[in-house]
């Protein structure tokens, strides 16, 4: 089976336990997975059109289109998104004030839409995490959302020293799942069972 794997996500890492869960579940069903890294928009389109068999790691957020796809209802990753601002700036006093601040996000990553919709003062989109930090330093944006794990993985020490997280807890936690193309309806329930077994055998790998 050919599976699209989202290849540019703030929460990606070299050691991705969710992929191990999928491969393990498929192996128990004598299915070999061919994992194909793709941008999220393209991956989603190919799975919906039946050109790929499944998609790994789309986040369950408002507006997610799962037509012609079957959600395997076993969480494979959770990501806690913190609000990051320049180290020299004060944080908003309350998360509810974020509507008055301008976020910056990455092109092609749908969950940034949560924050674009929240803002009453507009938003910016850029191509890399490094440029997001630059946007904050140049006062062209006020904040960006990211997990602590992604900050450590995708930003070098210099960039990390220029930003800080706000508030005592993450602003939101989002969860990702695995989706099969509807042509595989016959194996969806079995895959769900095997995936749940694989996840249960491992410690909690959620991001915090």
């Amino acid at each position: 089976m050919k599976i699209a794997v989202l290849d540019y996500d703030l929460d990606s890492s070299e050691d991705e336990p969710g992929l191990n869960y999928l491969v393990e579940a498929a192996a128990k069903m004598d299915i070999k997975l061919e994992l194909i890294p793709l941008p999220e928009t393209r991956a989603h389109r190919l799975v919906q059109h039946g050109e790929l068999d499944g998609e790994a790691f789309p986040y369950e957020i408002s507006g997610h289109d799962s037509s012609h796809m079957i959600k395997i209802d076993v969480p494979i990753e959770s990501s806690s998104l913190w609000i990051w601002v320049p180290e020299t700036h004060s944080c908003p006093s309350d998360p509810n004030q974020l509507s008055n601040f301008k976020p910056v996000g990455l092109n092609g990553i749908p969950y940034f839409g949560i924050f674009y919709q929240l803002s009453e003062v507009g938003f910016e989109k850029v191509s890399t995490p490094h440029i997001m930090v630059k946007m904050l330093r140049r006062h062209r944006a006020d904040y960006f959302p990211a997990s602590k794990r992604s900050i450590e993985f995708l930003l070098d020490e210099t960039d990390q020293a220029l930003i800080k997280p706000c508030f005592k807890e993450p602003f939101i936690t989002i969860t990702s799942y695995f989706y099969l193309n509807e042509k595989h309806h016959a194996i969806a329930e079995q895959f769900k069972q095997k995936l749940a077994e694989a996840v249960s055998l491992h410690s909690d790998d959620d991001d915090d």
Side-chain angles (χ1 to χ4, degrees), residues 11 59-62 77-84 95 98 110-118 143-148 166-175 207-208:
D11 303 297
Y59 285 103
E60 186 76 348
I61 59 178
S62 177
E77 181 183 80
S78 291
S79 180
S80 298
L81 302 181
W82 294 75
I83 301 302
W84 298 83
L98 286 183
Y111 68 66
F112 283 105
I114 297 171
F115 301 89
Y116 302 154
Q117 294 173 19
L118 178 67
Y143 76 92
F144 62 79
S147 69
K148 290 184 175 180
C166 291
F167 313 126
K168 295 180 179 180
E169 59 186 22
F171 181 79
I172 191 173
T173 297
I174 53 179
T175 303
D207 187 27
D208 58 12

Side-chain angles (χ1 to χ4, degrees), residues 7 44 53 57 83 89 96 104 117 147 164 183 185 195 197:
D7 69 340
H44 197 63
D53 299 292
F57 302 120
I83 301 302
H89 289 195
N96 292 326
V104 58
Q117 294 173 19
S147 69
K164 65 181 179 183
K183 66 184 179 182
H185 177 79
L195 183 57
E197 292 173 6

